[in-house]
Amino acid sequence: MNLKRTLFTLLLIALIGGGLGYVLWGGLEQNLVYFVSPTELQAKGAAAVGNSVRLGGMVAKGSIQFNANVLTFLVTDTATQIPVVTTKAPPEMFQEEMGVVVEGALEADGHFRAERLMVKHGNEYRPPDEGEMPQELYKSIHQPAGQAETAPQP
């Protein structure tokens, strides 16, 4: 009876230890996605090619192009620019000079192929005032920083 209990305890410890070891050294490493800036990604050189990462920065002004369902733009951290290519639909708030996080991998030709595109925005929500059109409120959200005060009023 005591031998059965000892064997069961040892088997249970081995199973738990094996499961933790697999998670820590095997399965977990494949699911990690690191966040890097354009400068950090470029500094990795050829070692960064093909590795899944999240690239964060600002969308460079004048760099957005749509051609045959392919979206291209530059992500910058003011020191380095990385060209991004994606066939995924961007969020409605996507625009120039906006914070963006793209998930994908750097290709050998220097382009970042994005499989996921997220925009950074404030978490403030204000319902339209009485009589205020939601479309006008939406337009004020989409104006780049610094232009909201100078926009002509209808």
Side-chain angles (χ1 to χ4, degrees), residues 43-121:
K44 291 182 178 185
V49 174
N51 294 328
S52 184
V53 294
R54 285 187 176 172
L55 176 66
M58 302 291 287
V59 178
K61 188 173 185 175
S63 67
I64 298 174
Q65 294 179 352
F66 276 107
N67 291 325
N69 293 333
V70 176
L71 171 64
T72 59
F73 58 95
L74 296 172
V75 174
T76 182
D77 60 358
T78 66
T80 305
Q81 293 183 339
I82 301 285
V84 175
V85 178
T86 186
T87 56
K88 305 295 180 186
E92 279 189 41
M93 295 180 70
F94 179 76
Q95 62 183 339
E96 296 175 346
E97 298 182 320
M98 174 176 242
V100 66
V101 176
V102 291
E103 187 173 320
L106 186 67
E107 295 186 339
D109 64 358
H111 286 84
F112 189 88
R113 169 108 14 223
E115 297 300 324
R116 192 171 181 195
L117 195 151
M118 299 168 275
V119 296
K120 293 180 181 178
H121 58 84

